[in-house]
Amino acid sequence: EFSWAKREVLNLSNEANEIYSKELLVSTRLSHYYRVAIKPKNYIAADNVIRLIFDERKIDRRVMMAILNSKLMRYISLKYLNN
């Protein structure tokens, strides 16, 4: 489960301000596999997360999230990415 914090928690840099104001895909490793979620606008990820960057003109972020959260990707992650 992802934890989200409001802006008042942090003193934001210009880059953090830009990230704060956008809805983006983020990922974190939970247990032995990775999970992807959409960071809501005007929230900061309170946990240690990875911001996923890809060409959104070619694939919708919800489709990308579904692919990355699929059973196939979980299988690949467990079999090949984790020792």
Side-chain angles (χ1 to χ4, degrees):
E1 172 119 1
F2 287 87
S3 298
W4 307 107
K6 288 297 255 175
R7 180 184 185 154
E8 295 77 28
V9 173
L10 302 170
N11 189 5
L12 300 177
S13 67
N14 287 340
E15 183 180 2
N17 252 331
E18 182 181 334
I19 292 169
Y20 167 81
S21 63
K22 291 183 179 177
E23 181 180 272
L24 352 135
L25 281 186
V26 294
S27 176
T28 190
R29 183 174 170 189
L30 301 172
S31 184
H32 298 291
Y33 58 95
Y34 295 87
R35 296 297 294 167
V36 176
I38 295 177
K39 181 202 76 68
K41 287 181 181 180
N42 302 328
Y43 280 87
I44 301 273
D47 292 341
N48 187 17
V49 299
I50 300 164
R51 178 177 157 202
L52 302 177
I53 300 171
F54 59 96
D55 190 348
E56 292 191 41
R57 295 171 297 173
K58 295 183 178 179
I59 187 166
D60 182 76
R61 74 171 60 104
R62 285 171 176 35
V63 173
M64 180 65 82
M65 183 175 69
I67 292 168
L68 294 173
N69 285 334
S70 71
K71 289 181 181 179
L72 175 61
M73 289 304 295
R74 182 174 180 186
Y75 171 80
I76 291 169
S77 175
L78 292 172
K79 181 150 179 95
Y80 298 106
L81 301 178
N82 297 319
N83 295 333

